[in-house]
Amino acid sequence: MAGRTETREATRLDATLKAVDDGLDAALSRLFDFLKIASISTDPAHKAACTQAAEWAAGELRALGFAATVHPTPGHPVVVARTDTGAPRRVLFYGHYDVQPVDPLDLWETPPFEPRLGETPDGRKTIVARGACDDKGQVLTFLEALRAFKSVGAGAPVDVTVLLEGEEECGSPNLPAFLAAHASELSADLALVCDTGMWDPKTPSITTALRGILHTELTIVGADRDLHSGLFGGAARNPIHVLASLIAEAHDASGRVTLPGFYDDVREMPAEVRQRWESLGLTAEAFLNPVGLGVAAGESDRLVIEQIQSRPTFEVNGMFGGYTGAGTKTIIPARATAKISFRLVADQDPAKIRAGFEAFAAARVPADCEAVFSWGEGARAFLVPPESPDLSRAAGALEAEWGIAPVTVGSGGSIPVVGQFKNVLGVDTLLIGFGLDDDRVHSPNEKYDLSSFHKGTRSWVRILEALA
Amino acid sequence: MAGRTETREATRLDATLKAVDDGLDAALSRLFDFLKIASISTDPAHKAACTQAAEWAAGELRALGFAATVHPTPGHPVVVARTDTGAPRRVLFYGHYDVQPVDPLDLWETPPFEPRLGETPDGRKTIVARGACDDKGQVLTFLEALRAFKSVGAGAPVDVTVLLEGEEECGSPNLPAFLAAHASELSADLALVCDTGMWDPKTPSITTALRGILHTELTIVGADRDLHSGLFGGAARNPIHVLASLIAEAHDASGRVTLPGFYDDVREMPAEVRQRWESLGLTAEAFLNPVGLGVAAGESDRLVIEQIQSRPTFEVNGMFGGYTGAGTKTIIPARATAKISFRLVADQDPAKIRAGFEAFAAARVPADCEAVFSWGEGARAFLVPPESPDLSRAAGALEAEWGIAPVTVGSGGSIPVVGQFKNVLGVDTLLIGFGLDDDRVHSPNEKYDLSSFHKGTRSWVRILEALA
């Protein structure tokens, strides 16, 4: 009888949600344990800590009833854990246990691997540590939902495969091969990634688009040694000047990237999407003032939200050349280097972007200098079909928890694994996360709202029920 | 009787020159002792070594019959030493005992403070060490001439005051005040500076013009923290891009500096000087190929020699911003910094150049960013009057030693003390040195030709005779 089944389901849901509420302190304690492990993947000195973090996660999963394996790779290990209850559907949950480096260390108010509770100026309670949001807080937001299901006896209403890697912060070099080698073990009906953010502290969000990414490091080489800037200055080419000109010419006065062919394959957003974005009314000031800026720097004929979500970028992440120590040194340096990344949108092809930039540089480097490139693997942009049924199910679950429909957004960020899930495993992904714009991911004093942890866990309970 | 006086003088000169030749090995040994002292003035870890170098020099001067004092300053000490024989004329010799830093250390073939003899590919014997040319080799080139005079009994035919400072490589911050405080003790008829170069290994040179110099460090400040380049990229201003544009716009396509008022006070060379320079036939390839370049980077309507000697420059000596470590980090940095120096020519005023650059930057910095300047003291350019009698005397002496008239040149480099000698002590300076373009001053594997040391010492003997 429909009524009694719904009542049993409602009762089970209520009980599970109550278990989340009752178990919050213990969950926080487990998150603190996870955060204490300094799993910085880009730094060889932290290799053992990365393995320790993987083992810790595997241990937690086994305690939740999973069969968990810590798989070695040429880099940091990958954790794969599965339940096998014979449920009609299986979801694949992806996260990463590695964290960003912490520099500059002197800007942290408390040590980055000594997690603590904090509070924002407007009174929101927070968890403060490197990885509090990206990605350990978000991973445990999901795992604690599974714990709540287990604590009321039933287990989750879907089978779950958990995939945790340890190299997301350094480009996941070993993941594509791992996915290919373990494709059958990782098969699922839907992938879930909890590494994105909410619209605001009270409004959830589902990310339906991600930008792709392409990295390069460009060095301009001039003389065969640093030169005395008096004896050679005025006649000898300065690679810093050459590189600066290259960077300056990459954008025109309207903020448009000038690299040849850069916008050829860019898909325009449908008119209704642009109208919806306009109606959101996000101004440059509102978006940028919280970080000390105020003037939108992108294409001048685009909304701020377009500049972030649907337009590609050319960005210099770091640049160095010549003398950078204290005081002065009167040299013309032999070389100068820029670390550059491109955020890509559908349907840009990383290979074509690379060719365009190499041509752009070749046309501008003086005859007696050399442009040396070192390219990373590129990742294309990602789009969720708006008509997806799982999208509707998850949206309904989020509305039930937060009292407001989630905003479906594109993210300016890139999560290459989503494209790999589609290409290698043939599975679509839902990106639902509980981070906030002021979490300071990749910066000192990273935090994660306690409300995101708590209500996010409750949200996952509802979502998994809805997906079953 | 004129004949017998000339014969006595010729005999004394010949004896003194022979003493130089006979004493070369011992002089080399003393130079090696001087070079072993790691007197890097910019590095506080070498403060004791700087004092040791000053004391060593004072000891050598006392052995030469000087009354020498090592004067403390707020920084490294200044050595002042005098002979007082009642000679009709007095010269003031200036040099510095401090040396440049050695980085990058891994490019030195042998340790920088373990002097050794070497050889160039074309067979010239060299002394290799940090400071071999700049400035210890050149200082001893002068002092060993005084030793030769002393060894034949007479002492030098002029009275000599020797002034050795220890902060030339970090901008001589304490020297102006020292000169003012010791002006009467340092009074002389003429100053001699041995810190410049020869035209080529067989052709001496007298430097009759020096460029001035002005340092600044410019930081562009954007957001109040490093930003995630996915979440903010495309909308948030990147200070590296702002700084790169500033640097790129500082020159136009013809190589001319675009800063407002930059060339207003630049004195054009007289037509005959330009004709003489043209007749020297120095090509960009000849000047730049030895350092791995080949295309003149300065104003396209100027000779290479003008670009170095008589035209001012805007030069970025170092630049840094954002993530500069290994691998990638997807940030938009909060700030970016450039260390910039201007080489000035007569009659540019450092204060006007500063004002012009600040105005240039203010006009180009976005409304939500800030340009923060840190300026050093400026030093104006220097010119020797071509009709100077001492210039003729020194030129004749050099021709006698080298068999070819010296080339009178401007140097692209800056030696601010020369302006201070004029302003504070009221004394003109002759700049005569024996360095060579391939000495690698300010670079790894610095050297000084043995021929420069030997024939340079003989040259000083002849010059001091001529000046008496």
Side-chain angles (χ1 to χ4, degrees), chain A residues 413-445:
Chain A
S414 311
I415 305 176
V417 71
V418 168
Q420 290 152 21
F421 285 168
K422 187 70 179 177
N423 296 340
V424 179
L425 303 179
V427 65
D428 289 320
T429 303
L430 278 186
L431 292 121
I432 299 167
F434 302 95
L436 293 168
D437 286 346
D438 68 347
D439 280 346
R440 306 180 68 93
V441 292
H442 293 206
S443 290
N445 305 305

mmCIF file of all heavy atoms in Angstrom, chain A residues 413-445:
data_model
loop_
_atom_site.group_PDB
_atom_site.id
_atom_site.type_symbol
_atom_site.label_atom_id
_atom_site.label_comp_id
_atom_site.label_asym_id
_atom_site.label_seq_id
_atom_site.Cartn_x
_atom_site.Cartn_y
_atom_site.Cartn_z
ATOM 1 N N GLY A 413 35.915 26.479 -12.556
ATOM 2 C CA GLY A 413 37.010 25.552 -12.299
ATOM 3 C C GLY A 413 36.987 24.351 -13.229
ATOM 4 O O GLY A 413 36.069 24.174 -14.031
ATOM 5 N N SER A 414 37.971 23.514 -13.099
ATOM 6 C CA SER A 414 38.120 22.337 -13.950
ATOM 7 C C SER A 414 38.273 21.098 -13.088
ATOM 8 O O SER A 414 38.984 21.125 -12.088
ATOM 9 C CB SER A 414 39.366 22.485 -14.835
ATOM 10 O OG SER A 414 39.390 23.736 -15.471
ATOM 11 N N ILE A 415 37.588 20.027 -13.423
ATOM 12 C CA ILE A 415 37.758 18.735 -12.754
ATOM 13 C C ILE A 415 37.903 17.701 -13.859
ATOM 14 O O ILE A 415 36.917 17.103 -14.308
ATOM 15 C CB ILE A 415 36.560 18.415 -11.834
ATOM 16 C CG1 ILE A 415 36.340 19.551 -10.830
ATOM 17 C CG2 ILE A 415 36.804 17.110 -11.093
ATOM 18 C CD1 ILE A 415 35.128 19.373 -9.936
ATOM 19 N N PRO A 416 39.123 17.503 -14.340
ATOM 20 C CA PRO A 416 39.341 16.655 -15.521
ATOM 21 C C PRO A 416 38.774 15.241 -15.382
ATOM 22 O O PRO A 416 38.403 14.630 -16.380
ATOM 23 C CB PRO A 416 40.871 16.625 -15.656
ATOM 24 C CG PRO A 416 41.321 17.908 -15.037
ATOM 25 C CD PRO A 416 40.360 18.165 -13.915
ATOM 26 N N VAL A 417 38.663 14.720 -14.173
ATOM 27 C CA VAL A 417 38.214 13.341 -14.008
ATOM 28 C C VAL A 417 36.791 13.151 -14.552
ATOM 29 O O VAL A 417 36.428 12.066 -14.995
ATOM 30 C CB VAL A 417 38.303 12.932 -12.514
ATOM 31 C CG1 VAL A 417 37.240 13.640 -11.692
ATOM 32 C CG2 VAL A 417 38.188 11.437 -12.360
ATOM 33 N N VAL A 418 36.017 14.218 -14.552
ATOM 34 C CA VAL A 418 34.636 14.110 -15.051
ATOM 35 C C VAL A 418 34.628 13.711 -16.522
ATOM 36 O O VAL A 418 33.835 12.857 -16.953
ATOM 37 C CB VAL A 418 33.895 15.444 -14.809
ATOM 38 C CG1 VAL A 418 32.591 15.492 -15.560
ATOM 39 C CG2 VAL A 418 33.670 15.647 -13.313
ATOM 40 N N GLY A 419 35.537 14.327 -17.297
ATOM 41 C CA GLY A 419 35.645 13.931 -18.705
ATOM 42 C C GLY A 419 36.150 12.508 -18.846
ATOM 43 O O GLY A 419 35.718 11.757 -19.727
ATOM 44 N N GLN A 420 37.057 12.118 -17.949
ATOM 45 C CA GLN A 420 37.589 10.756 -18.031
ATOM 46 C C GLN A 420 36.505 9.730 -17.668
ATOM 47 O O GLN A 420 36.459 8.646 -18.234
ATOM 48 C CB GLN A 420 38.796 10.623 -17.101
ATOM 49 C CG GLN A 420 39.997 11.403 -17.603
ATOM 50 C CD GLN A 420 40.921 11.848 -16.489
ATOM 51 O OE1 GLN A 420 40.908 11.274 -15.399
ATOM 52 N NE2 GLN A 420 41.707 12.873 -16.753
ATOM 53 N N PHE A 421 35.617 10.054 -16.705
ATOM 54 C CA PHE A 421 34.525 9.134 -16.369
ATOM 55 C C PHE A 421 33.669 8.875 -17.615
ATOM 56 O O PHE A 421 33.259 7.749 -17.886
ATOM 57 C CB PHE A 421 33.657 9.706 -15.251
ATOM 58 C CG PHE A 421 34.275 9.632 -13.878
ATOM 59 C CD1 PHE A 421 33.731 10.327 -12.813
ATOM 60 C CD2 PHE A 421 35.398 8.842 -13.645
ATOM 61 C CE1 PHE A 421 34.296 10.260 -11.544
ATOM 62 C CE2 PHE A 421 35.967 8.758 -12.382
ATOM 63 C CZ PHE A 421 35.422 9.473 -11.329
ATOM 64 N N LYS A 422 33.428 9.939 -18.379
ATOM 65 C CA LYS A 422 32.601 9.771 -19.573
ATOM 66 C C LYS A 422 33.340 8.959 -20.629
ATOM 67 O O LYS A 422 32.800 8.015 -21.180
ATOM 68 C CB LYS A 422 32.216 11.149 -20.129
ATOM 69 C CG LYS A 422 31.230 11.103 -21.278
ATOM 70 C CD LYS A 422 29.851 10.673 -20.793
ATOM 71 C CE LYS A 422 28.856 10.663 -21.938
ATOM 72 N NZ LYS A 422 27.526 10.176 -21.504
ATOM 73 N N ASN A 423 34.606 9.322 -20.870
ATOM 74 C CA ASN A 423 35.348 8.705 -21.970
ATOM 75 C C ASN A 423 35.758 7.272 -21.658
ATOM 76 O O ASN A 423 35.755 6.414 -22.534
ATOM 77 C CB ASN A 423 36.613 9.519 -22.276
ATOM 78 C CG ASN A 423 36.264 10.910 -22.779
ATOM 79 O OD1 ASN A 423 35.157 11.148 -23.238
ATOM 80 N ND2 ASN A 423 37.209 11.821 -22.645
ATOM 81 N N VAL A 424 36.148 7.004 -20.425
ATOM 82 C CA VAL A 424 36.727 5.695 -20.093
ATOM 83 C C VAL A 424 35.677 4.759 -19.493
ATOM 84 O O VAL A 424 35.672 3.568 -19.772
ATOM 85 C CB VAL A 424 37.909 5.864 -19.117
ATOM 86 C CG1 VAL A 424 38.509 4.521 -18.750
ATOM 87 C CG2 VAL A 424 38.959 6.791 -19.709
ATOM 88 N N LEU A 425 34.798 5.322 -18.634
ATOM 89 C CA LEU A 425 33.828 4.476 -17.935
ATOM 90 C C LEU A 425 32.432 4.597 -18.530
ATOM 91 O O LEU A 425 31.540 3.829 -18.156
ATOM 92 C CB LEU A 425 33.764 4.850 -16.448
ATOM 93 C CG LEU A 425 35.088 4.791 -15.668
ATOM 94 C CD1 LEU A 425 34.861 5.218 -14.211
ATOM 95 C CD2 LEU A 425 35.690 3.391 -15.717
ATOM 96 N N GLY A 426 32.231 5.560 -19.422
ATOM 97 C CA GLY A 426 30.923 5.733 -20.034
ATOM 98 C C GLY A 426 29.854 6.197 -19.072
ATOM 99 O O GLY A 426 28.665 5.955 -19.286
ATOM 100 N N VAL A 427 30.234 6.898 -18.002
ATOM 101 C CA VAL A 427 29.249 7.276 -16.997
ATOM 102 C C VAL A 427 29.165 8.799 -16.871
ATOM 103 O O VAL A 427 30.176 9.506 -16.965
ATOM 104 C CB VAL A 427 29.595 6.621 -15.638
ATOM 105 C CG1 VAL A 427 30.910 7.143 -15.082
ATOM 106 C CG2 VAL A 427 28.488 6.845 -14.616
ATOM 107 N N ASP A 428 27.930 9.321 -16.721
ATOM 108 C CA ASP A 428 27.709 10.748 -16.491
ATOM 109 C C ASP A 428 27.948 11.095 -15.018
ATOM 110 O O ASP A 428 27.893 10.212 -14.149
ATOM 111 C CB ASP A 428 26.282 11.153 -16.882
ATOM 112 C CG ASP A 428 26.063 11.134 -18.380
ATOM 113 O OD1 ASP A 428 26.992 11.558 -19.104
ATOM 114 O OD2 ASP A 428 24.980 10.695 -18.831
ATOM 115 N N THR A 429 28.158 12.362 -14.767
ATOM 116 C CA THR A 429 28.487 12.819 -13.415
ATOM 117 C C THR A 429 27.542 13.909 -12.961
ATOM 118 O O THR A 429 27.185 14.801 -13.746
ATOM 119 C CB THR A 429 29.926 13.373 -13.364
ATOM 120 O OG1 THR A 429 30.839 12.368 -13.798
ATOM 121 C CG2 THR A 429 30.307 13.817 -11.957
ATOM 122 N N LEU A 430 27.138 13.833 -11.693
ATOM 123 C CA LEU A 430 26.472 14.953 -11.032
ATOM 124 C C LEU A 430 27.485 15.604 -10.092
ATOM 125 O O LEU A 430 28.118 14.925 -9.283
ATOM 126 C CB LEU A 430 25.283 14.479 -10.182
ATOM 127 C CG LEU A 430 23.961 14.231 -10.873
ATOM 128 C CD1 LEU A 430 22.882 13.912 -9.821
ATOM 129 C CD2 LEU A 430 23.508 15.436 -11.701
ATOM 130 N N LEU A 431 27.629 16.949 -10.240
ATOM 131 C CA LEU A 431 28.559 17.671 -9.369
ATOM 132 C C LEU A 431 27.757 18.484 -8.367
ATOM 133 O O LEU A 431 27.110 19.475 -8.710
ATOM 134 C CB LEU A 431 29.452 18.601 -10.191
ATOM 135 C CG LEU A 431 30.423 17.888 -11.090
ATOM 136 C CD1 LEU A 431 30.186 18.279 -12.540
ATOM 137 C CD2 LEU A 431 31.857 18.193 -10.694
ATOM 138 N N ILE A 432 27.784 18.024 -7.130
ATOM 139 C CA ILE A 432 27.029 18.679 -6.061
ATOM 140 C C ILE A 432 27.989 18.884 -4.905
ATOM 141 O O ILE A 432 28.552 17.923 -4.378
ATOM 142 C CB ILE A 432 25.853 17.799 -5.603
ATOM 143 C CG1 ILE A 432 24.892 17.572 -6.781
ATOM 144 C CG2 ILE A 432 25.129 18.444 -4.424
ATOM 145 C CD1 ILE A 432 23.875 16.486 -6.527
ATOM 146 N N GLY A 433 28.180 20.143 -4.506
ATOM 147 C CA GLY A 433 29.119 20.398 -3.428
ATOM 148 C C GLY A 433 28.624 21.493 -2.520
ATOM 149 O O GLY A 433 27.665 22.213 -2.842
ATOM 150 N N PHE A 434 29.306 21.629 -1.399
ATOM 151 C CA PHE A 434 28.826 22.534 -0.348
ATOM 152 C C PHE A 434 29.882 23.549 0.052
ATOM 153 O O PHE A 434 29.794 24.158 1.113
ATOM 154 C CB PHE A 434 28.310 21.702 0.839
ATOM 155 C CG PHE A 434 27.210 20.778 0.417
ATOM 156 C CD1 PHE A 434 27.475 19.464 0.078
ATOM 157 C CD2 PHE A 434 25.905 21.257 0.268
ATOM 158 C CE1 PHE A 434 26.462 18.615 -0.378
ATOM 159 C CE2 PHE A 434 24.885 20.416 -0.188
ATOM 160 C CZ PHE A 434 25.159 19.099 -0.513
ATOM 161 N N GLY A 435 30.881 23.765 -0.826
ATOM 162 C CA GLY A 435 31.845 24.816 -0.591
ATOM 163 C C GLY A 435 31.227 26.192 -0.790
ATOM 164 O O GLY A 435 30.118 26.316 -1.323
ATOM 165 N N LEU A 436 31.939 27.215 -0.319
ATOM 166 C CA LEU A 436 31.474 28.600 -0.466
ATOM 167 C C LEU A 436 32.586 29.473 -1.023
ATOM 168 O O LEU A 436 33.773 29.144 -0.890
ATOM 169 C CB LEU A 436 31.017 29.154 0.892
ATOM 170 C CG LEU A 436 29.784 28.507 1.475
ATOM 171 C CD1 LEU A 436 29.597 28.935 2.937
ATOM 172 C CD2 LEU A 436 28.542 28.890 0.651
ATOM 173 N N ASP A 437 32.221 30.601 -1.632
ATOM 174 C CA ASP A 437 33.205 31.483 -2.255
ATOM 175 C C ASP A 437 34.256 31.989 -1.280
ATOM 176 O O ASP A 437 35.386 32.270 -1.674
ATOM 177 C CB ASP A 437 32.507 32.710 -2.882
ATOM 178 C CG ASP A 437 31.773 32.348 -4.160
ATOM 179 O OD1 ASP A 437 32.021 31.248 -4.693
ATOM 180 O OD2 ASP A 437 30.955 33.173 -4.606
ATOM 181 N N ASP A 438 33.878 32.098 0.002
ATOM 182 C CA ASP A 438 34.852 32.635 0.964
ATOM 183 C C ASP A 438 35.638 31.540 1.673
ATOM 184 O O ASP A 438 36.277 31.793 2.688
ATOM 185 C CB ASP A 438 34.164 33.563 1.981
ATOM 186 C CG ASP A 438 33.231 32.807 2.926
ATOM 187 O OD1 ASP A 438 32.924 31.626 2.667
ATOM 188 O OD2 ASP A 438 32.794 33.412 3.930
ATOM 189 N N ASP A 439 35.611 30.302 1.141
ATOM 190 C CA ASP A 439 36.337 29.202 1.785
ATOM 191 C C ASP A 439 37.849 29.339 1.647
ATOM 192 O O ASP A 439 38.597 28.635 2.315
ATOM 193 C CB ASP A 439 35.902 27.858 1.191
ATOM 194 C CG ASP A 439 34.581 27.350 1.764
ATOM 195 O OD1 ASP A 439 34.136 27.894 2.796
ATOM 196 O OD2 ASP A 439 34.005 26.419 1.169
ATOM 197 N N ARG A 440 38.356 30.209 0.747
ATOM 198 C CA ARG A 440 39.785 30.424 0.575
ATOM 199 C C ARG A 440 40.505 29.129 0.145
ATOM 200 O O ARG A 440 41.614 28.839 0.620
ATOM 201 C CB ARG A 440 40.427 30.971 1.852
ATOM 202 C CG ARG A 440 39.746 32.224 2.382
ATOM 203 C CD ARG A 440 40.416 32.739 3.649
ATOM 204 N NE ARG A 440 41.743 33.242 3.346
ATOM 205 C CZ ARG A 440 42.027 34.495 3.072
ATOM 206 N NH1 ARG A 440 41.072 35.404 3.061
ATOM 207 N NH2 ARG A 440 43.270 34.858 2.800
ATOM 208 N N VAL A 441 39.835 28.345 -0.730
ATOM 209 C CA VAL A 441 40.529 27.173 -1.271
ATOM 210 C C VAL A 441 41.777 27.658 -2.005
ATOM 211 O O VAL A 441 41.766 28.697 -2.636
ATOM 212 C CB VAL A 441 39.625 26.363 -2.225
ATOM 213 C CG1 VAL A 441 38.497 25.728 -1.440
ATOM 214 C CG2 VAL A 441 39.084 27.199 -3.363
ATOM 215 N N HIS A 442 42.866 26.912 -1.917
ATOM 216 C CA HIS A 442 44.158 27.227 -2.539
ATOM 217 C C HIS A 442 44.840 28.425 -1.891
ATOM 218 O O HIS A 442 45.873 28.869 -2.390
ATOM 219 C CB HIS A 442 44.010 27.498 -4.047
ATOM 220 C CG HIS A 442 43.599 26.280 -4.835
ATOM 221 N ND1 HIS A 442 43.897 26.131 -6.158
ATOM 222 C CD2 HIS A 442 42.915 25.176 -4.493
ATOM 223 C CE1 HIS A 442 43.412 24.972 -6.605
ATOM 224 N NE2 HIS A 442 42.803 24.372 -5.610
ATOM 225 N N SER A 443 44.287 28.938 -0.813
ATOM 226 C CA SER A 443 44.874 30.095 -0.142
ATOM 227 C C SER A 443 45.107 29.768 1.326
ATOM 228 O O SER A 443 44.652 28.738 1.817
ATOM 229 C CB SER A 443 43.931 31.294 -0.245
ATOM 230 O OG SER A 443 43.879 31.775 -1.559
ATOM 231 N N PRO A 444 45.803 30.652 2.060
ATOM 232 C CA PRO A 444 45.944 30.427 3.502
ATOM 233 C C PRO A 444 44.604 30.586 4.217
ATOM 234 O O PRO A 444 43.710 31.277 3.746
ATOM 235 C CB PRO A 444 46.918 31.530 3.936
ATOM 236 C CG PRO A 444 47.682 31.871 2.692
ATOM 237 C CD PRO A 444 46.691 31.716 1.571
ATOM 238 N N ASN A 445 44.480 29.904 5.366
ATOM 239 C CA ASN A 445 43.287 29.989 6.231
ATOM 240 C C ASN A 445 42.042 29.442 5.538
ATOM 241 O O ASN A 445 40.937 29.977 5.664
ATOM 242 C CB ASN A 445 43.059 31.417 6.719
ATOM 243 C CG ASN A 445 44.292 31.973 7.404
ATOM 244 O OD1 ASN A 445 44.816 31.372 8.341
ATOM 245 N ND2 ASN A 445 44.799 33.094 6.907
#
